[in-house]
Amino acid sequence: AVDQHIQYFQEFLPGDLIVVRSRFREVKKSSIHFAHRMYHFGQAEAAAECRLVGVHIDAESRKSIPFPEHIRKKLEQLTSGKK
């Protein structure tokens, strides 16, 4: 991730059962925005949220490059909630 922000709304303690729900928020040419919400098991209110931005990087040039078309299309489907 090139950018990451975490907000805690409630405390987590050792031994707590935690549910994590993840979602893609936005797909761009070479980056994807996604979030993880963490809940205490059995509770409806989020205890924490982490928002991230990931970038598709060329391993040799170490620069961002566009997602391949088939990957971008799949990411767009996941972002829109379609399968």
Side-chain angles (χ1 to χ4, degrees):
V2 296
D3 190 27
Q4 179 172 307
H5 300 274
I6 302 173
Q7 287 184 285
Y8 293 96
F9 312 116
Q10 299 173 15
E11 186 175 24
F12 290 116
L13 299 173
D16 285 352
L17 291 178
I18 298 169
V19 175
V20 178
R21 294 189 178 122
S22 301
R23 68 183 175 101
F24 293 108
R25 299 178 60 223
E26 182 180 11
V27 177
K28 295 186 176 180
K29 186 172 106 174
S30 61
S31 66
I32 184 160
H33 297 239
F34 54 103
H36 304 298
R37 280 196 164 191
M38 291 145 272
Y39 301 81
H40 287 282
F41 182 77
Q43 293 189 2
E45 187 176 325
E49 181 177 59
C50 179
R51 293 180 180 221
L52 304 103
V53 178
V55 176
H56 188 241
I57 301 286
D58 180 276
E60 289 183 24
S61 71
R62 309 302 294 161
K63 296 190 183 285
S64 66
I65 58 172
F67 287 111
E69 185 68 17
H70 70 283
I71 292 174
R72 188 185 55 74
K73 284 184 178 183
K74 184 63 175 175
L75 291 170
E76 287 175 347
Q77 288 175 347
L78 293 169
T79 302
S80 68
K82 297 176 184 174
K83 292 186 179 183

